[in-house]
């Protein structure tokens, strides 16, 4: 065996060129960072405009470069970004094509900047766009939740703790709980956007630049609130990406919980909802099956999104200032999470908007689980002046009797109830129906239909919708 062939076997089949082939592949980020091309073009145009305004490059060269960047952008839009691994990344790919189009003047574009501040700027712009897309999607999910909650402000269903029937609630109240969760998610994305909206452009490699640049001009041109204030931090910071992933992870948990509700509700033992055909699949062997695949995938996607957050946190945890090549791995988890989150939001928006709720089944289930037991205890406290602990014990005896006879609490006779405690009178029946139970929960934020309608109206105003409830 020759020395050369032995070397090739050492490096492995597809790395026949030895260490240089490995380095070429591990160093190239163009397969994934080509997704930044719009942001790269926009930042480059803002940069060259500033260079021209500051007299760092001539007005003629600035105009030539800007026009050339527009031509590159048009090519990318029409044909996609080419993947030449020798050019490593989107920045060198764009600059190389620009040079082919306009000649040596293209080399002036990189004056007073580095790939370090360039990628930090591009990535911030991309994450900012991802936040804006999430915001739009989450608002639409809220619109769907509010619309269905308004339809079902009076629809009674069992409320659960430990997945055991606890007290009757309304479906509208249940759906508005998710409206509140999504509102918090939107606030987290908004906080992340506000915190990250500073421009690193002009920080150069790590120490700033000696050219008389105007970082405030480029920041304003790119929609930032201003430039970052420390060049070392500017090129090494990925907090903005972590903030996005943290908000995305929390949001994905809420979407997963909502998906799980639909999965449970759609199961035959519950039968609370019929899922839209467009978001379900059949079985390859069991013709009676209608599987909640979209909801299950949303539930699964949440795990992957949390994994993306964990991956970037671990990547960043031990890096010294300023830039290290590890940070090239910052983008894949963010890109993956953003794609999965967008799909999950869209799926759950469709699920909420198009599902058919079987309210008669929900109401029947609310009656079966002795959900008004707390109402009996409350009645004993209010009407018979019995301490709650004693009322709780009396109610437990009533539930045991009803359970032994296979009837609801309000189907026990007055003689039965008075045999348990003589202080119970016929007024108790007004408190034992599921309708009376939900109507009584009229404290702020409670499940009473009138309260649900108030919350729906407030949500419609917050969303800028015409009130319909």
């Amino acid at each position: 065996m020759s020395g050369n062939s032995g070397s090739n076997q050492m490096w492995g089949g597809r790395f026949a060129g030895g260490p240089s082939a490995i380095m070429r592949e591990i160093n190239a980020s163009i397969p994934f960072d080509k997704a930044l091309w719009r942001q790269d073009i926009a930042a480059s145009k803002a940069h060259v405009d500033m260079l021209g305004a500051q007299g760092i490059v001539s007005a003629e060269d600035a105009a030539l470069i800007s026009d050339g960047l527009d031509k590159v952008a048009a090519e990318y839009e029409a044909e996609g970004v080419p993947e030449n691994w020798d050019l490593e990344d989107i920045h060198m790919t764009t600059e190389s094509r620009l040079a082919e189009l306009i000649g040596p003047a293209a080399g002036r574009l990189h004056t007073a900047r580095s790939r370090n501040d360039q990628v930090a700027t591009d990535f911030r712009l991309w994450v900012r766009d991802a936040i804006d897309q999430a915001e739009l999607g989450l608002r639409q999910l809220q619109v769907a939740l509010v619309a269905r909650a308004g339809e079902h402000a009076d629809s009674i269903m069992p409320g659960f703790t430990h997945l055991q029937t606890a007290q009757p609630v309304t479906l509208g109240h249940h759906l508005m709980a998710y409206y509140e969760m999504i509102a918090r998610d939107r606030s987290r994305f908004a906080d992340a956007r506000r915190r990250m909206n500073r421009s690193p452009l002009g920080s150069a490699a790590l120490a700033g630049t000696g050219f008389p640049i105007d970082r405030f001009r480029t920041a304003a041109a790119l929609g930032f609130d201003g430039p970052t204030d420390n060049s070392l931090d500017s090129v090494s910071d990925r907090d903005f990406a972590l903030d996005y992933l943290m908000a995305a992870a929390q949001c994905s948990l809420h979407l997963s919980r909502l998906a799980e509700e639909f999965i449970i509700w759609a199961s035959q033992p519950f039968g609370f909802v019929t899922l839209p055909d467009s978001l379900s699949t059949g079985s390859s062997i069991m013709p009676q099956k209608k599987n909640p695949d979209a909801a299950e995938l949303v539930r699964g996607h949440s795990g992957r999104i949390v994994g993306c957050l964990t991956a970037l946190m671990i990547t960043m945890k031990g890096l010294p200032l300023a830039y290290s090549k590890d940070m090239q791995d910052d983008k894949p988890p963010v890109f993956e999470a953003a794609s999965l989150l967008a799909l999950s939001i869209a799926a759950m928006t469709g699920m909420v908007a198009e599902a058919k709720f079987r309210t008669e089944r929900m109401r029947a289930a609310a009656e079966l689980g002795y959900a008004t037991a707390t109402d009996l205890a409350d009645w004993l406290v209010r009407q018979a002046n019995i301490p709650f602990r004693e009322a709780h014990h009396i109610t437990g005896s009533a539930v045991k009797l009803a359970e032994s006879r296979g009837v609801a609490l309000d189907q026990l006779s007055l003689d039965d109830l008075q045999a348990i405690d003589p202080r119970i009178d016929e007024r108790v029946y007004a408190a034992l129906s599921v309708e009376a139970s939900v109507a009584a929960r009229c404290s702020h934020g409670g499940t009473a239909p009138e309260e649900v309608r108030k919350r729906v109206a407030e949500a419609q105003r917050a969303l800028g919708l015409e009130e319909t409830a």
Side-chain angles (χ1 to χ4, degrees), residues 40 43-52 56-57 61-62 65-66 69 88-96 98-99 102-122 201-206 208-211 213 235:
D40 196 62
S44 292
K45 289 192 69 172
H47 184 66
V48 76
D49 172 77
M50 179 276 295
L51 293 177
I56 298 171
V57 303
D61 280 347
I65 292 169
S66 186
L69 288 168
E88 295 183 16
D89 55 33
I90 184 60
H91 321 299
M92 295 302 292
T93 297
T94 297
E95 188 171 329
S96 174
L98 182 65
I102 70 170
R108 300 190 185 279
L109 172 59
H110 209 52
T111 306
R113 75 174 185 185
S114 161
R115 277 194 288 180
N116 291 355
D117 63 333
Q118 190 177 359
V119 69
T121 303
D122 293 356
L201 192 57
S203 298
L206 75 163
T209 179
F211 289 97
I213 61 173
V235 298

